[in-house]
Amino acid sequence: MKNPLKQIVTVQKQGKAVGIYSCCSANEHVIRAALKKGKDTGSCVLIESTANQCDQYGGYTGMTPADFRSFVYRLAGEMQFDTSLLFLGGDHLGPLTFADRNEEDAMQEAEELIRCYVSAGFTKIHIDTSMRLADDPQDEKLSDEVIARRGARLAKAAEDTFFRIVLKENPDAVEPVYIIGSEVPVPGGQQGEESGELQITSPDDFRKTLHAFEQAFLESGLEHAWKNVIGIVVQPGVEEKDSGCVEYDREKAAALCAALKDCPQIVFEGHSTDYQTKLKLREMVEDGIAILKVGPGMTFALREALYALAYAENELYGYQSSHFIEVLDDAMAANPGYWKKHYAGSEKEIMLKRKYSFSDRCRYYLPDTNVIESRKKMMRHLENGVPLNLLSQFMPVQYVRVREGTLPNRPKDLIIDHIGDTIDEYLYATRQQELFREVSQ
């Protein structure tokens, strides 16, 4: 069955500024918020997992791709979301987490990773082979030809899995579409000090990458797979920082976006679009950056909501409160592995970044046992609702909705609604409700 996501390219090439946002998160609250917004607006939902979140060994979430699919579909079932409108994607699939091995070992693991994602029913596959492996020269950039050759090898693994296994088990299975390229930081965000001006992908580099992949696919007998390549990752000049972001400047990206007009089957995929304003996001979609990836921006909103509830709880319970904020920071301080390479500065500056950085390394610690127990205690304390005066103080937007009767005064509902405000920015930009209407026709 043709993948409906190909409609993104169709409507873009018709001159319609319609796209889709990709929810890159394994957090239950975030996924529920995405599904709720999809249900409320009648639009499709795209949820993606990265190679380090879920792999054949469980990743840092402890879930294989099949586990992740079951998890998302369970939530969709609980929320009565139409799963025909639900798409799962695999992000940065390649030898990312096996880069300390020689090419053959790393690529065999990457092939198995791809097989796991495709066999689990993921239908949007980002092939990323841009990283150096152990036996690659460490003092020079990988050539487009090497990256493309490895990418074609993974595409072949995906195609073989789909046509020899998936399609035989389910003749109505949706075939995968592919995203190529990786002009972005590794999954998880940039490391170290905030850098200077980002280097926007040049039109020549874009064309060379596209040509190298096309040649590699065709030489590998992957003509059909090449027809299902719908997007390429480029750097249009966006990135989040600890206390802000590099905003999209369409004038600086104009030459890159103009080059897209010569490519009838391709749109751009933009990573690290977190914290762009809805107007900037809208400009990106208008300029052909039709797939907008967002991850930390979603969990940052979750963290905001949890902190707001913690402040209200502390006013009510004082010493007997859950001390959620302190428990979360203690977990981060005790195990700095997920944030140490990302936060720099004085002790005070790092402490502030642990709590409030836009890169949101907090998200890696929410599954910590002590953090979970603290959160549950806070939710129990507030299960009968947040007093309106405290709700007005700490969650003023949700306060208004509670007063108007459109939002239940329950902690989980308040959290999901707050995350939904971030999703609204993306729905404004993508107009993916119109994409669904196009698909349904």
Side-chain angles (χ1 to χ4, degrees), residues 383-425:
E383 62 184 354
N384 293 322
V386 180
L388 291 179
N389 53 349
L390 293 178
L391 188 61
S392 177
Q393 176 67 41
F394 298 113
M395 301 185 81
V397 174
Q398 282 62 48
Y399 162 78
V400 172
R401 292 170 185 159
V402 168
R403 289 294 305 274
E404 291 175 345
T406 60
L407 175 65
N409 188 356
R410 296 190 296 258
K412 286 186 178 180
D413 294 283
L414 297 171
I415 291 169
I416 290 171
D417 189 74
H418 184 74
I419 300 169
D421 289 337
T422 295
I423 296 174
D424 282 338
E425 304 278 287

Side-chain angles (χ1 to χ4, degrees), residues 200-203 206 234-236 252-261 268:
I200 296 173
T201 303
S202 72
F206 156 58
V234 294
Q235 175 51 275
K252 292 182 179 179
L256 170 63
C257 294
L260 190 61
K261 296 178 181 179
F268 286 149

Side-chain angles (χ1 to χ4, degrees), residues 15 22 86 129 147 149 162 168 286 377 398 409 437:
S22 172
L86 177 59
T129 50
I147 294 171
R149 171 177 57 79
F162 179 77
K168 287 184 178 180
E286 290 172 349
K377 181 177 181 180
Q398 282 62 48
N409 188 356
R437 285 198 287 271

Side-chain angles (χ1 to χ4, degrees), residues 155-172:
K156 187 176 189 307
E159 293 284 284
D160 287 348
T161 302
F162 179 77
F163 286 104
R164 295 182 182 181
I165 300 175
V166 176
L167 200 58
K168 287 184 178 180
E169 295 177 354
N170 178 15
D172 295 324

Side-chain angles (χ1 to χ4, degrees), residues 350-409:
I350 291 174
M351 185 180 299
L352 192 68
K353 290 176 182 180
R354 285 205 305 265
K355 289 184 177 181
Y356 301 111
S357 171
F358 276 160
S359 68
D360 188 47
R361 308 304 294 179
C362 297
R363 66 188 186 273
Y364 293 97
Y365 299 85
L366 294 177
D368 177 87
T369 301
N370 292 333
V371 175
I372 290 173
E373 290 304 313
S374 176
R375 177 176 56 80
K376 287 181 177 179
K377 181 177 181 180
M378 176 176 69
M379 302 290 259
R380 287 195 302 270
H381 280 164
L382 300 174
E383 62 184 354
N384 293 322
V386 180
L388 291 179
N389 53 349
L390 293 178
L391 188 61
S392 177
Q393 176 67 41
F394 298 113
M395 301 185 81
V397 174
Q398 282 62 48
Y399 162 78
V400 172
R401 292 170 185 159
V402 168
R403 289 294 305 274
E404 291 175 345
T406 60
L407 175 65
N409 188 356

